Amino acid sequence: MDEPPGRVRESVAERWYWIWDAYILALYLVALVVMVSNVSTPAGRRLGAAGVLTCIVLWYQLYGRRVIRSGDEGFRAHVFIAGVLVLFGVELVLLPRNSLVLFVLYPMFFMAVPLRVALPSVIGASAVQAGLLLLDGAHGDSLIPPLVGMVISIVMGTLINRTINETLQRGALIEQLEASRAEVARLSHEAGTAAERARLAREIHDTLAQGFTSIVTLLQAVESELDGEQPKVRGHLALAVRTARDNLAEARALVAALTPSALDSGSLEDAVQRLAQRLGEEAGIAATYRTVGPPGGLPTAVEVVLLRAAQEALANVRKHSRAANVTVTLRYAEDAVTLSVVDDGVGITAPEGFGLCGMRARAEQVSGTLVVNGLPGKGTRLELEVPR
């Protein structure tokens, strides 16, 4: 909930209240001493003026100070100023030549009400005293103290008011900047969380999900061959066990956010070749692997993207292509590496799924490009090119 303007203004100036209190008290005591010691004025007037001045200070301490500290610049503040002006009028009737009283009143005006009200009050009070001095037969030099006091108070009050407003504006700007920074931090956290979720989803899809699909396929093949040739059954079981172990290694690497286990135990070329061999063993597809150009010299992030793309492409060949042959090629050029997976299957028969979308997202992370071409009945060609 936002604070009202008066309350904010009060909080900004609160640390200076003790100075104003001390200033008013000091001038009150000085004015009191001057009044009492002015033997040229009848004692009754002096005591009456001292009593009225005391009432002004008490009015400030008992009522005005609470109004000022509450930040209320409305009705209650105007009541306080009206009371001060009435008492000041009585003071002038009793002792019109005591200009020190004005210096006691000036800070009350500027603290209690807005500048548009304080300035007319200061000018009016000073003009009234100057007029009474003239009526009382005072010389021109007697007008100097109230006029100088008026000018000084107007200048000081305006400067203080402007300083407070600038402080408020800076405070509001700082609050806006802090709120904007907090919003940016929140959005960055949400974006980071979303990106991490997407990364985990791609990793799980490209590793664990495909591994489990292979295990299920192999176990189904074992089930259909239980009454058949034992060597064939054992071969499928061995493949299922090896796939399960690979999945376990990938799961551990995923949890620890490490390099894929296939790259830990060998080069990218070896890992992609093993993927092609496994496809041939599991699906009976004639898989050929080739390396063109001098391999190596790739950042780990690029190797991970190429490996995951090969996994996804070969998984799609196994699940959707109905191909008899597939060729996997890693082509190393001077400024780029290209992974191509070409099969002779049914071609592209459905829109891109999560796997290809994830492959494109991975390629963009390393400034790579993915191109997939295929016509129904004429096979599919997938090419992923990444800069070296």
Side-chain angles (χ1 to χ4, degrees):
M1 181 178 177
D2 294 337
E3 289 186 306
R7 172 70 64 181
V8 177
R9 184 187 184 88
E10 179 272 334
S11 64
V12 171
E14 185 171 0
R15 60 182 174 273
W16 302 107
Y17 279 143
W18 70 272
I19 297 179
W20 292 119
D21 290 343
Y23 167 83
I24 291 172
L25 178 60
L27 277 187
Y28 162 70
L29 294 175
V30 171
L32 208 59
V33 170
V34 171
M35 287 179 190
V36 174
S37 62
N38 186 10
V39 294
S40 62
T41 303
R45 287 196 169 210
R46 282 183 284 151
L47 293 176
V52 173
L53 180 59
T54 302
C55 289
I56 292 176
V57 174
L58 289 176
W59 176 240
Y60 165 73
Q61 287 292 333
L62 299 178
Y63 181 75
R65 197 169 184 275
R66 283 205 311 270
V67 172
I68 293 170
R69 293 181 70 86
S70 71
D72 182 2
E73 294 182 340
F75 177 75
R76 295 170 62 204
H78 288 77
V79 169
F80 168 65
I81 293 300
V84 169
L85 291 174
V86 169
L87 291 171
F88 176 63
V90 176
E91 178 77 18
L92 289 180
V93 171
L94 294 173
L95 206 64
R97 294 177 181 268
N98 189 7
S99 300
L100 286 175
V101 177
L102 279 175
F103 290 92
V104 176
L105 303 187
Y106 288 150
M108 297 183 187
F109 294 144
F110 287 107
M111 285 193 295
V113 291
L115 191 64
R116 65 180 183 276
V117 179
L119 288 178
S121 301
V122 168
I123 294 172
S126 301
V128 168
Q129 185 177 37
L132 289 177
L133 286 173
L134 292 175
L135 291 176
D136 196 44
H139 298 291
D141 55 353
S142 300
L143 301 178
I144 294 177
L147 293 178
V148 170
M150 179 186 69
V151 173
I152 293 176
S153 66
I154 290 175
V155 172
M156 294 299 295
T158 303
L159 290 176
I160 291 172
N161 188 271
R162 182 177 299 173
T163 301
I164 291 175
N165 288 334
E166 290 176 354
T167 302
L168 289 173
Q169 292 174 359
R170 285 196 297 268
L173 180 60
I174 290 172
E175 289 181 358
Q176 292 176 0
L177 291 175
E178 290 177 346
S180 299
R181 185 170 61 182
E183 181 67 10
V184 169
R186 184 185 67 81
L187 293 175
S188 297
H189 174 72
E190 291 180 356
T193 301
E196 181 63 13
R197 287 175 178 168
R199 185 190 71 82
L200 289 174
R202 289 193 299 269
E203 292 287 345
I204 291 171
H205 176 273
D206 293 346
T207 57
L208 304 182
Q210 293 176 4
F212 288 131
T213 300
S214 297
I215 292 172
V216 170
T217 302
L218 291 168
L219 292 178
Q220 287 175 340
V222 170
E223 183 180 12
S224 66
E225 297 165 352
L226 284 176
D227 297 329
E229 300 177 8
Q230 292 300 314
K232 200 169 184 179
V233 172
R234 291 192 182 93
H236 283 148
L237 286 175
L239 285 174
V241 170
R242 189 175 72 184
T243 303
R245 286 175 176 165
D246 290 344
N247 253 23
L248 180 59
E250 289 287 0
R252 288 171 175 166
L254 180 61
V255 170
L258 300 175
T259 302
S261 58
L263 295 178
D264 279 340
S265 58
S267 65
L268 173 65
E269 298 75 33
D270 294 337
V272 175
Q273 186 174 15
R274 285 196 300 270
L275 290 175
Q277 291 173 349
R278 182 185 299 175
L279 175 67
E281 294 171 351
E282 294 177 357
I285 299 174
T288 303
Y289 170 76
R290 296 185 304 161
T291 301
V292 179
L298 296 179
T300 301
V302 173
E303 289 188 338
V304 171
V305 169
L306 291 169
L307 176 63
R308 296 307 189 208
Q311 287 175 320
E312 174 64 22
L314 293 177
N316 287 339
V317 170
R318 177 174 51 202
K319 289 186 291 186
H320 308 299
S321 71
R322 287 181 278 174
N325 299 278
V326 61
T327 300
V328 181
T329 306
L330 271 176
R331 184 174 292 104
Y332 290 87
E334 186 174 335
D335 57 350
V337 180
T338 303
L339 167 73
S340 66
V341 179
V342 182
D343 67 63
D344 59 357
V346 297
I348 298 177
T349 59
E352 290 188 5
F354 181 83
L356 283 178
C357 291
M359 200 184 303
R360 291 189 188 280
R362 286 182 184 278
E364 291 173 359
Q365 290 175 357
V366 293
S367 303
T369 56
L370 177 70
V371 178
V372 182
N373 294 313
L375 295 174
K378 296 186 178 180
T380 302
R381 181 182 189 89
L382 179 146
E383 286 194 349
L384 171 62
E385 182 180 288
V386 296
R388 299 190 69 170

